[in-house]
Amino acid sequence: MKIFIRATGPLQCNTYLLISEGGDAAVIDPGGDAPRLLALLEAQGAALRQILLTHGHYDHMGAAEALMQATGAPLKMHPDDAPMLQDAMCNLSTPFTGEPLRLPPAYTPLGDGEEIAVGGDTLRVLHTPGHSPGSVCFLNEKDRVLFSGDTLFCRSIGRTDFPGGDPTLLLRSLRRLAALEGDYRVLPGHEEETTLEAERRQNPYMQADPFGYFD
């Protein structure tokens, strides 16, 4: 599976375009710049089959509606974040930009442990709440890649002071990621990539119970 990385939208969200050998494609977190993403699909001779969101904040879905209209690809996300499609306060578009972003309410729900086919490749959904109630990560075990959204960053983690954020849940989610077997390339929602082993060793939030929440 080929992975193309583009920083898109007002907050430079990392958008990931995944293309299988057969040309089926999925996009993770299309934060903006829909024409640029469509041009990349055309240049690769790929067909967008699905739009996957790690969570429902505006900076991760700004181009979703344009991509749906251009390709017919369905939008998929965890149901706990589905209200953000229509709620411009909770998806942060109004507080951050003053311009409400509202998407059509129709979506395909993703559940924890569900497997998503991208051509002959598979992504497994991990529900990792904390940054938002419906935050998820996508795990490609064959290629050892973890798309971590805003749950885990290089030496940092996602904020929990937005509507629906919960620091205790986020630490539980990080413990789940830390417990994955072996190492993974970690592709986060913003900034540079890292590895799971590096985060286990160097990210204080990945240490066991850093704040004594689970005593």
Side-chain angles (χ1 to χ4, degrees):
M1 181 172 66
K2 295 180 181 177
I3 302 174
F4 296 87
I5 306 171
R6 297 292 185 270
T8 65
L11 297 184
Q12 294 292 275
C13 166
N14 286 333
T15 294
Y16 300 102
L17 183 63
L18 318 180
I19 301 179
S20 70
E21 286 189 8
D24 287 340
V27 65
I28 298 175
D29 290 349
D33 305 326
R36 184 180 170 205
L37 297 174
L38 290 168
L40 178 56
L41 282 164
E42 183 176 4
Q44 294 296 317
L48 188 64
R49 304 299 187 192
Q50 48 200 328
I51 300 164
L52 308 175
L53 299 185
T54 62
H55 62 291
H57 288 153
Y58 82 102
D59 57 312
H60 289 251
M61 61 181 188
E65 185 171 9
L67 293 178
M68 286 188 285
Q69 291 176 347
T71 68
L75 180 72
K76 299 183 178 183
M77 65 189 304
H78 193 279
D80 287 353
D81 272 13
M84 296 184 188
L85 294 174
Q86 293 278 293
D87 189 331
M89 290 299 293
C90 284
N91 72 30
L92 304 180
S93 58
T94 294
F96 271 66
T97 72
E99 299 180 2
L101 172 68
R102 295 186 177 91
L103 271 63
Y107 76 101
T108 300
L110 296 175
D112 184 56
E114 182 174 339
E115 293 190 343
I116 303 168
V118 183
D121 295 284
T122 300
L123 300 176
R124 181 157 59 92
V125 178
L126 302 179
H127 183 209
T128 53
H131 178 65
S132 70
S135 284
V136 300
C137 297
F138 298 108
L139 192 70
N140 180 335
E141 293 175 310
K142 184 182 77 172
D143 293 337
R144 310 299 291 180
V145 180
L146 174 69
F147 300 92
S148 62
D150 285 6
T151 295
L152 175 63
F153 297 128
C154 180
R155 313 302 185 266
S156 187
I157 59 174
R159 292 173 60 172
T160 59
D161 57 338
F162 297 138
D166 186 316
T168 302
L169 286 179
L170 182 56
L171 287 178
R172 290 186 190 276
S173 295
L174 293 169
R175 291 176 74 185
R176 182 181 187 187
L177 297 182
L180 292 171
E181 292 187 7
D183 199 10
Y184 283 86
R185 179 186 181 193
V186 176
L187 299 179
H190 298 274
E191 301 180 346
E192 70 268 29
E193 69 177 78
T194 182
T195 67
L196 189 57
E197 185 56 33
E199 297 311 303
R200 289 189 186 110
R201 290 185 284 103
Q202 301 179 41
N203 188 330
Y205 300 101
M206 293 286 280
Q207 309 302 314
D209 199 7
F211 304 120
Y213 283 173
F214 307 113
D215 290 344

